[in-house]
């Protein structure tokens, strides 16, 4: 996201310099640098005051969004920047901020200075850059459904509103010129922001409808900030449905699982409930965090039936500062686990009476490397609950030595196929047909790096497996 925004600011500066955009290029440059400095200083002060750890990248992202949607007025940028960053600390409950900071800053500016966002970056001239960036961002964070629903609904509702005054060709030109570019920017940068939008797919669809509906509604009353206000309305819904889960976890022990995988076992905090396959957002404050920041998502590799919370991760030769800090944790040290979420979970127990036929399907799990963590949680859970399920596990690693949690999978009694790419090659159609002859009757769960998961989802759909028989879990961040 940061690279995308830097790319947009740079493109805008060049377009201004070439006279394609009607602004002065130095104004854009100065305002972007200025708001970055304002947000940076404000964040440092609040972080110190609240003794909070923070992600430096998110401050820069907020600043650049403000530079791209507000005009180059330094007073406005100061008020917007300070209020946006302050909202992250002051309008937060149980460690989680409620509102999208940039949208809040813009709304605050409107009510204090009577100056709303101009969304100047959204224009026909910048549309190719916005479009390209939107596709890349939405592809990366897998939120096409959310963005798509909002985009289509907004176009329909705007057309309905304009129909009252009669539709003509100039309406469609206006739509394309004035609405589509800012909406695409809003969609891919603000609407989908992970911390202030819902985690679950079904909540995301409702959230998209709420924001689109609120945008339509606020457009009917004389307020000039319908988009920003609509987003804040949606943020409240997201906050409610996401819940405000936050636990302090204390390290019990550390175990080396393979040459590059380490597992960390934490004490189970009180009243901690989760489903096998779910994940947490882990925050580890440390000195001089790199640009990747102090937060990461990790699956809970243990089962709810165990007396420990396990985080297992792969460590590269040159790790991020987060991973270095994780590696240096000692027994008794603490880390924060928040935002429990995830729908990569087991279907209902098929031996129960009232279960949908689709939930009774046999399962096939495909894991690549560290993508095995949710399956460890499920295996241990089924063992402890004494539930028998028809499961085939295809688990791919570079070498035999990279296989982790083997004992748990053997104990679970699944049909486990270990594929070591150094000698067996990759899992392909032939291997699936060979090892999973009844593959058409199975529900597939795919977990690993995004490129691997995408490749298997494509392969399975070519093999005739419908999309509703495929679930995916992506582990981004690995090269
Ligand atoms: C829902 C979900 C569940 C997940 N579950 C797990 C899990 O159970 N276990 C797990 O290990 N991961 C999991 N992940 C992925 C995890 O969140 C991290 O993205 C991943 O571990 C990479 O961590 P890292 O960014 O610290 O990079 P590292 O692992 O330290 O490094 C990965 C690569 O990036 C390079 N790199 C490191 N830092 C930088 C930098 N500052 N700039 C440029 N390159 C750099 C490294 O050299 C290396 O090649 C999950 C992700 C999601 C979304």
């Amino acid at each position: 996201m940061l690279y995308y925004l830097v790319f947009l600011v740079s493109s805008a500066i060049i377009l201004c310099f070439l006279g394609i955009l009607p602004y002065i290029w130095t104004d854009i440059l100065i305002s972007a640098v200025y708001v970055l400095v304002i947000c940076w200083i404000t964040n440092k002060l609040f972080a110190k005051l609240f003794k909070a750890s923070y992600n430096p990248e998110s401050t820069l992202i907020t600043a650049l969004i403000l530079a791209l949607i507000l005009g180059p007025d330094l007073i406005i940028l100061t008020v917007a920047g300070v209020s946006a960053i302050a909202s992250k600390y002051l309008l937060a409950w149980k460690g989680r901020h409620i509102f999208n900071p940039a949208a809040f800053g813009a709304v605050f500016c409107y009510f204090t200075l009577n100056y709303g966002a101009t969304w100047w970056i959204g224009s026909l001239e910048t549309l190719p850059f916005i479009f390209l960036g939107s596709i890349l961002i939405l592809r990366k964070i897998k939120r096409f459904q959310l963005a798509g629903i909002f985009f289509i609904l907004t176009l329909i509702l705007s057309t309905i509103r304009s129909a009252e005054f009669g539709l003509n060709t100039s309406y469609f030109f206006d739509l394309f010129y004035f609405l589509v570019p800012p909406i695409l920017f809003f969609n891919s940068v603000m609407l989908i922001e992970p911390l202030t939008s819902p985690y679950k797919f079904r909540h995301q669809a409702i959230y998209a409808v709420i924001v689109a509906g609120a945008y339509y509604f606020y457009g009917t009353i004389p307020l000039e900030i319908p988009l920003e206000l609509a987003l804040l309305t949606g943020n409240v819904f997201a906050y409610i449905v996401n819940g405000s889960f936050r636990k302090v976890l204390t390290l019990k022990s550390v175990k080396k699982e393979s040459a590059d995988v380490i597992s960390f076992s934490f004490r189970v905090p009180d009243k901690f409930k989760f489903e096998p396959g779910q994940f947490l957002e882990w925050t580890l404050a440390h000195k001089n965090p790199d640009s990747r920041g102090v937060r990461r998502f990790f699956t809970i590799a243990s089962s709810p039936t165990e007396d420990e919370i396990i985080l297992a991760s792969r460590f590269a030769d040159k790790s991020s500062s987060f991973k270095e800090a994780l590696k240096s944790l000692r027994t008794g040290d603490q880390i924060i686990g928040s935002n429990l979420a995830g729908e990569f979970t087991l279907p209902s127990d098929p031996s129960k009476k009232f279960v949908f036929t689709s939930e009774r399907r046999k399962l096939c799990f495909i894991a690549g490397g560290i993508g095995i963590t949710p399956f460890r949680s499920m295996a241990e859970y089924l063992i402890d609950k004494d539930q028998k399920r028809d499961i085939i596990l295809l688990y791919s690693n570079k070498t035999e030595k990279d296989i982790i949690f083997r004992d748990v999978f053997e104990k679970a009694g699944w049909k486990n196929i270990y594929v070591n790419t150094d000698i067996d090659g990759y899992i392909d159609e032939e291997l699936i047909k060979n090892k999973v002859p009844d593959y058409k009757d199975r529900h597939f769960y795919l977990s690993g790096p995004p490129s691997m998961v995408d490749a298997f989802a494509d392969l399975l759909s070519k093999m005739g497996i419908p999309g509703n028989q495929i679930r995916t879990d992506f582990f981004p961040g690995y090269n």
Side-chain angles (χ1 to χ4, degrees):
M1 179 62 80
L2 186 59
Y3 299 146
Y4 169 46
L5 293 171
V6 170
F7 166 70
L8 271 187
V9 173
S10 315
S11 312
I13 290 172
I14 294 171
L15 292 181
C16 292
F17 182 76
L18 297 176
I20 298 172
L21 276 182
Y23 315 107
I24 302 166
W25 72 272
T26 45
D27 283 357
I28 306 296
L29 179 63
I30 291 169
S31 60
V33 173
Y34 178 77
V35 74
L36 276 169
V37 173
I38 287 291
C39 289
W40 185 264
I41 295 173
T42 312
N43 193 55
K44 278 261 172 205
L45 289 176
F46 272 98
K48 220 176 175 121
L49 200 66
F50 283 74
K51 295 194 177 68
S53 55
Y54 62 91
N55 187 349
E57 218 170 276
S58 74
T59 306
L60 303 182
I61 289 172
T62 302
L64 289 177
I65 297 173
L66 289 174
L68 290 167
I69 65 172
L70 295 168
D73 181 310
L74 299 190
I75 294 177
I76 285 159
L77 288 172
T78 310
V79 173
V82 172
S83 57
I85 301 298
S87 76
K88 294 212 294 189
Y89 294 88
L90 300 176
L91 300 176
W93 185 250
K94 296 198 176 171
R96 226 156 47 81
H97 61 271
I98 301 168
F99 297 115
N100 177 297
F104 183 84
V107 170
F108 190 82
C109 249
Y110 178 75
F111 285 113
T112 51
L113 303 179
N114 196 20
Y115 184 96
T118 58
W119 298 92
W120 67 268
I121 190 60
S123 72
L124 212 51
E125 292 79 7
T126 54
L127 187 58
F129 304 98
I130 293 177
F131 183 73
L132 181 71
S134 302
I135 299 290
L136 294 176
I137 295 271
L138 295 176
R139 199 170 157 264
K140 174 103 186 159
I141 67 165
K142 316 277 173 205
R143 290 201 169 188
F144 273 113
Q145 174 197 276
L146 163 58
I149 294 175
F150 177 77
F151 186 69
I152 291 168
L153 263 183
T154 304
L155 292 194
I156 293 173
L157 291 173
S158 299
T159 308
I160 290 173
R161 188 166 47 215
S162 304
E164 291 170 21
F165 310 103
L167 294 180
N168 50 33
T169 40
S170 90
Y171 164 71
F172 290 103
F173 177 78
D174 285 356
L175 187 78
F176 201 66
Y177 199 92
F178 295 111
L179 191 68
V180 169
I183 290 289
L184 274 185
F185 174 79
F186 171 80
N187 234 351
S188 57
V189 172
M190 298 168 82
L191 182 75
I192 47 79
E193 201 243 336
L195 289 178
T196 49
S197 60
Y199 303 127
K200 294 191 176 172
F201 284 130
R202 62 174 184 281
H203 290 154
Q204 284 176 11
I206 302 171
Y207 168 77
V209 173
I210 289 176
V211 181
Y215 174 54
Y216 177 77
F217 172 72
Y218 295 135
T220 62
I221 53 177
L223 277 175
E224 287 153 33
I225 45 166
L227 208 47
E228 302 87 307
L229 262 189
L231 184 58
L232 299 191
T233 310
N235 293 157
V236 174
F237 168 77
Y239 189 89
I240 294 167
V241 294
N242 281 347
S244 55
F245 178 92
R246 187 173 189 270
K247 301 275 178 201
V248 177
L249 304 166
T250 308
L251 187 69
K252 280 206 307 190
S253 59
V254 177
K255 186 175 168 197
K256 199 160 167 65
E257 302 285 353
S258 70
D260 57 2
V261 175
I262 302 177
S263 69
F264 301 82
S265 163
F266 298 88
R267 270 186 225 132
V268 185
D270 289 344
K271 297 185 192 156
F272 182 57
K273 286 202 178 102
F274 65 98
E275 282 183 65
Q278 288 196 300
F279 59 85
L280 283 173
E281 187 180 42
W282 304 70
T283 306
L284 181 56
H286 56 278
K287 277 198 181 141
N288 305 322
D290 62 22
S291 65
R292 294 189 176 193
V294 297
R295 291 193 298 244
R296 290 290 185 285
F297 290 110
F298 290 109
T299 306
I300 304 173
S302 49
S303 150
T305 48
E306 293 178 282
D307 64 352
E308 57 183 342
I309 303 281
I310 299 177
L311 178 171
S313 190
R314 211 180 86 195
F315 288 80
D317 293 339
K318 204 190 159 312
S319 286
S320 59
S321 64
F322 181 99
K323 291 266 178 93
E324 289 299 333
L326 188 62
K327 220 168 21 178
S328 63
L329 285 184
R330 298 285 165 259
T331 309
D333 285 350
Q334 295 184 322
I335 187 167
I336 291 171
S338 50
N339 302 336
L340 174 70
E343 293 169 280
F344 195 73
T345 50
L346 283 166
S348 314
D349 180 355
S351 65
K352 292 231 174 86
K353 263 189 180 169
F354 302 106
V355 173
F356 290 115
T357 325
S358 62
E359 301 253 301
R360 290 185 193 278
R361 248 181 236 290
K362 296 179 275 183
L363 303 172
C364 178
F365 295 163
I366 304 184
I370 193 66
I372 196 66
T373 49
F375 301 131
R376 189 223 172 263
S377 172
M378 295 176 192
E380 191 61 57
Y381 180 80
L382 296 176
I383 295 168
D384 293 346
K385 290 280 180 184
D386 202 20
Q387 275 185 38
K388 301 275 175 282
R389 306 246 187 149
D390 187 335
I391 295 174
I392 300 179
L393 170 70
L394 304 180
Y395 178 17
S396 169
N397 281 289
K398 267 198 199 112
T399 70
E400 175 140 26
K401 284 187 185 151
D402 297 320
I403 300 171
I404 57 171
F405 305 136
R406 191 176 193 143
D407 52 335
V408 181
F409 298 120
E410 295 305 322
K411 203 170 158 199
W414 301 348
K415 178 176 169 188
N416 300 314
I417 315 289
Y418 303 101
V419 180
N420 304 314
T421 54
D422 62 341
I423 44 174
D424 306 322
Y426 290 96
I427 299 173
D428 57 10
E429 182 169 345
E430 199 189 324
L431 187 138
I432 295 176
K433 285 186 170 161
N434 197 355
K435 303 288 181 191
V436 193
D438 55 354
Y439 67 92
K440 289 220 162 144
D441 303 329
R442 290 189 181 257
H443 210 119
F444 281 82
Y445 279 57
L446 315 175
S447 174
S451 53
M452 180 216 109
V453 172
D454 283 338
F456 277 118
D458 283 352
L459 176 65
L460 291 172
S461 82
K462 278 193 199 113
M463 290 170 70
I465 308 290
N468 62 5
Q469 247 172 268
I470 304 173
R471 274 201 203 193
T472 53
D473 205 15
F474 296 91
F475 283 24
Y478 292 111
N479 295 338

